[in-house]
Amino acid sequence: MRIVLIHPNYHSGGAEIAGNWPPAWVAYLAGSLKRHGYDDIRFIDAMTEHLDDEQLAAKLREEHAPDVIGCTCITPSIYQAEKTLEIAKSIHPNATTVLGGIHATFMYSQVLGEAPHIDLIVRGEGEEVFLNVIKAVEADTLEQDRHKIRGLAFRDGDEIIATAAHAPIRKLDDLEPDWSLLEWDNYIYLPLNKRVAIPNFARGCPFTCSFCSQWKFWRDYRIRSPKNFVDEIETLVRDHDIGFFILADEEPTINRKKFIALCQELIDRDLGIEWGINTRVTDILRDEDMLPFYRKAGLVHVSLGTEASAQLNLERFRKETTVAQNKKAIRLLKDAGIVAEAQFIIGLENETAESIEDTYRWAMDWDCDMANWIMYTPWPFSDLFEELADKVEVRDYARYNFVTPIMKPNDMTRSEVFNGVMKNYRRFYMRKSFFSYPWLKDKYKRRYMLGCLRAAMKSGFERRFYDLGRINYRGQKDIDFRFDPDRVLSRDELAEIERSRESVASIYQARGRAAVACGGGPEADDATVEASMKSPDYIESDNGFDPAEVLGEERIDEFFDPRGFARQRARAKRQAARS
């Protein structure tokens, strides 16, 4: 069996300004395959190598008769992922083409409808589902077995079929990622000029932020043992000379006990590695006394989901934090010698010039080391999309990239939003450049912050930052964001699509609950949790649960149906109580 995996060539000038990120999905998929004897695997990183379509085609022609060609996608890379597999199919027509990733998981019907060259979509976690596909291809039984393999979507004649969801992988310690497929010299964290990795300590999230969909994709919160995770870090340091890692987890500090154990394991092994995380303001406040310990373990950078200065937006995003808590969390991190980064979401329909200015004032008042302004991106499978969908006329998913204003606020143009954000960046980092970073007393932090500044300046000079080159931005009042005109809907088209679109809301949106929690969304209310766990429909075991068993003969889509989310929250709550 010959398998080719491809990371599509998509860029937007967001997080990549700090370096090239190694695609962890390749390592985890390849590790699962090799563990079961499939070791003829090739990887093409079209993104990091900046391969255009012709160059990708040339690379694929060098591959001799692959049996399966797999590709991943997030929402902004979906069109390039579709094009990637179209090229692959044209060169290797007998290969089975497989697409995975979050966008394909939820938008499988649309993707299969517009990309006939894609044979299968893997929905949700890929390790076990993709392995089952490989086994069926090897046995030449895919045509009949695809109906029985859980976690797939495909065309069957004129019909699009989605099989029942595969159970979440219960024991993450059983995963054995193979990082050897990556060309590690390509993956450098520019602020420190060190090789960087992005491993998983946990998957999923027990919180339900309305703007996020990761908790829907992973479907359950699971965590590795600290020893198993640090074993992987030690391998990365020893075999691949990794000097920095960023936890890929949504909220790595949720399980305080295991996070502390992870830090202790890193201290005991003295690997000399530094790392960063994204986490919740409330967890930093909770762990005030532990922050020096975290810093001793090598944690040097924490990005906080402060999200918005107006409490209205915090509540809409289902945040349980307050503006005062954000300020305190940043001070605590800085006192512990940890870089404190604040994230602000900009561009909802109620955005104003004043609210954008507020975010700058808060960033200055909080005295965060770094600030990042993110354009609100209405994921078409998030709960918040249910509320805002009739206002989202731009359906050009290639621009759903955190740097392009998708929503048009009621009282602003998109250009005004963009210019407001650019003004914030200029003022904030100009002040930091002249009056802060060069004068920091902490030598390590001074070097780190100046490294971040160099990386940002390099990206700016190369016109990569915030996609400036693509939109030819030079401070003009009116900006052409170059949306695909065929993917910008009229009001009539928008109304028609919304009438026929299936709901993607979870149980919380369906109930109209005023939610409070991620930095996070709410956990299920106690009554719902208790009822779910007592119900004969609720099953929990080390082997996961079988949706068909849970629901008898009734079929639901575990990724969308509100009952699925009730079970997810119940499992997460019970698991947390036992930890």
Side-chain angles (χ1 to χ4, degrees):
M1 284 292 295
R2 180 160 295 165
I3 302 159
V4 175
L5 303 175
I6 308 172
H7 197 74
N9 182 19
Y10 177 84
H11 300 270
S12 67
E16 61 189 299
I17 68 171
N20 293 323
W21 308 113
W25 69 273
V26 172
Y28 287 97
L29 274 189
S32 173
L33 295 173
K34 288 188 175 182
R35 183 181 177 189
H36 290 84
Y38 300 103
D39 54 10
D40 190 354
I41 305 170
R42 291 268 293 118
F43 173 52
I44 301 173
D45 190 346
M47 179 177 179
T48 299
E49 296 182 39
H50 293 266
L51 301 179
D52 62 25
D53 292 347
E54 290 185 4
Q55 291 170 319
L56 174 62
K59 285 258 189 183
L60 283 167
R61 290 189 190 99
E62 295 173 1
E63 301 296 334
H64 177 66
D67 298 287
V68 176
I69 301 175
C71 185
T72 189
C73 69
I74 54 177
T75 294
S77 69
I78 181 56
Y79 305 136
Q80 190 57 40
E82 290 175 358
K83 182 64 176 178
T84 294
L85 290 180
E86 181 181 6
I87 293 169
K89 198 71 166 178
S90 69
I91 296 170
H92 298 290
N94 294 324
T96 299
T97 50
V98 183
L99 181 64
I102 189 166
H103 188 88
T105 291
F106 293 104
M107 307 296 286
Y108 65 90
S109 184
Q110 179 179 346
V111 171
L112 291 171
E114 64 190 15
H117 43 273
I118 296 174
D119 296 319
L120 295 171
I121 284 176
V122 169
R123 304 183 70 208
E125 284 176 305
E127 289 90 351
E128 294 178 350
V129 180
F130 192 59
L131 174 63
N132 290 335
V133 169
I134 297 298
K135 289 178 177 178
V137 172
E138 182 181 43
D140 197 24
T141 58
L142 181 62
E143 185 68 21
Q144 58 266 36
D145 286 356
R146 60 182 181 163
H147 291 270
K148 297 181 289 186
I149 297 174
R150 294 183 177 277
L152 292 183
F154 52 88
R155 288 178 310 279
D156 188 359
D158 294 333
E159 188 179 2
I160 291 176
I161 304 293
T163 65
H166 192 284
I169 297 171
R170 303 306 306 170
K171 295 181 178 178
L172 297 185
D173 282 6
D174 290 343
L175 297 177
E176 298 176 7
D178 177 15
W179 294 99
S180 66
L181 284 177
L182 305 184
E183 296 290 339
W184 282 103
D185 285 340
N186 292 335
Y187 308 108
I188 304 297
Y189 186 58
L190 294 178
L192 294 174
N193 194 32
K194 294 181 177 181
R195 291 183 179 184
V196 61
I198 310 180
N200 280 110
F201 179 45
R203 289 183 176 180
C205 182
F207 302 105
T208 57
C209 285
S210 61
F211 61 87
C212 180
S213 50
Q214 289 295 321
W215 57 277
K216 292 185 175 185
F217 178 82
W218 297 111
R219 299 170 49 231
D220 204 354
Y221 177 68
R222 294 144 291 148
I223 193 165
R224 296 165 65 177
S225 69
K227 180 183 181 303
N228 173 267
F229 175 78
V230 179
D231 284 346
E232 182 178 340
I233 298 301
E234 186 167 356
T235 298
L236 285 165
V237 172
R238 181 189 65 238
D239 297 347
H240 305 295
D241 195 27
I242 301 303
F244 191 83
F245 71 86
I246 299 173
L247 279 177
D249 306 27
E250 312 311 317
E251 305 290 347
T253 53
I254 289 174
N255 189 313
R256 184 176 189 267
K257 180 180 177 181
K258 285 200 173 183
F259 189 77
I260 290 172
L262 179 155
C263 291
Q264 187 63 60
E265 194 77 28
L266 285 169
I267 291 170
D268 292 345
R269 299 200 202 185
D270 192 20
L271 299 175
I273 193 166
E274 295 147 353
W275 48 295
I277 63 172
N278 295 280
T279 196
R280 306 190 302 150
V281 165
T282 50
D283 285 3
I284 297 302
L285 300 177
R286 178 199 69 193
D287 294 350
E288 177 178 353
D289 61 329
M290 296 301 298
L291 296 180
F293 173 75
Y294 296 165
R295 179 63 184 86
K296 183 180 178 182
L299 178 60
V300 299
H301 189 148
V302 173
S303 181
L304 293 172
T306 54
E307 313 300 6
S309 63
Q311 196 64 31
L312 168 65
N313 278 358
L314 286 170
E315 290 167 358
R316 182 179 221 171
F317 292 154
R318 300 188 189 145
K319 293 287 177 179
E320 61 182 359
T321 58
T322 67
V323 172
Q325 287 175 320
N326 294 336
K327 182 176 182 177
K328 182 179 180 182
I330 286 169
R331 177 180 59 79
L332 292 173
L333 287 170
K334 293 183 65 175
D335 288 348
I338 298 171
V339 172
E341 178 181 357
Q343 305 265 8
F344 297 99
I345 291 179
I346 299 292
L348 272 85
E349 88 286 359
N350 61 345
E351 199 73 73
T352 64
E354 291 74 20
S355 65
I356 295 176
E357 179 67 17
D358 281 345
T359 62
Y360 171 73
R361 292 189 186 119
W362 288 119
M364 298 307 299
D365 178 59
W366 300 346
D367 195 26
C368 48
D369 295 306
M370 301 176 69
N372 191 14
W373 283 268
I374 301 169
M375 295 294 182
Y376 169 64
T377 302
W379 305 125
F381 29 80
S382 69
D383 280 9
L384 193 53
F385 194 83
E386 288 299 300
E387 183 180 339
L388 301 176
D390 61 347
K391 301 179 181 69
V392 185
E393 75 273 20
V394 175
R395 301 298 173 93
D396 181 358
Y397 295 136
R399 306 279 75 85
Y400 280 46
N401 53 19
F402 298 116
V403 301
T404 305
I406 300 299
M407 297 278 297
K408 182 199 171 300
N410 297 329
D411 299 319
M412 298 183 76
T413 66
R414 290 185 178 87
S415 295
E416 288 171 335
V417 173
F418 194 90
N419 277 311
V421 167
M422 290 299 104
K423 181 182 178 183
N424 284 359
Y425 271 116
R426 284 193 300 269
R427 290 182 294 172
F428 182 86
Y429 285 102
M430 189 70 73
R431 292 180 66 90
K432 290 292 184 182
S433 300
F434 287 105
F435 304 117
S436 176
Y437 296 161
W439 319 113
L440 291 171
K441 293 180 180 179
D442 183 327
K443 291 182 180 179
Y444 175 85
K445 194 170 183 180
R446 181 170 68 242
R447 179 169 66 90
Y448 187 94
M449 298 315 305
L450 290 173
C452 290
L453 185 62
R454 283 192 298 272
M457 291 176 65
K458 181 176 185 292
S459 175
F461 287 137
E462 293 173 352
R463 312 283 292 154
R464 292 184 294 110
F465 175 71
Y466 239 77
D467 227 5
L468 299 182
R470 187 190 66 81
I471 62 175
N472 195 28
Y473 178 76
R474 302 194 180 273
Q476 63 267 34
K477 182 178 179 181
D478 296 315
I479 305 166
D480 179 6
F481 293 102
R482 303 187 182 182
F483 297 123
D484 181 343
D486 293 333
R487 300 182 190 274
V488 178
L489 306 179
S490 68
R491 288 200 173 277
D492 289 343
E493 290 171 325
L494 193 59
E496 178 58 32
I497 282 180
E498 288 311 300
R499 275 195 296 270
S500 60
R501 183 177 62 83
E502 292 184 14
S503 172
V504 298
S506 72
I507 191 169
Y508 307 107
Q509 184 75 21
R511 287 179 172 178
R513 237 181 129 224
V516 288
C518 166
E523 296 180 272
D525 59 87
D526 291 340
T528 300
V529 171
E530 209 171 305
S532 297
M533 290 193 294
K534 288 179 179 178
S535 166
D537 290 343
Y538 179 76
I539 294 177
E540 179 181 33
S541 72
D542 287 341
N543 297 318
F545 66 95
D546 183 336
E549 258 187 88
V550 170
L551 296 168
E553 295 183 358
E554 184 180 4
R555 284 289 308 280
I556 68 168
D557 189 325
E558 279 284 326
F559 291 99
F560 285 124
D561 194 285
R563 290 165 292 180
F565 296 120
R567 290 196 296 272
Q568 290 170 42
R569 301 282 72 78
R571 288 195 301 275
K573 189 123 181 175
R574 175 178 279 182
Q575 189 175 36
R578 291 193 310 222
S579 298

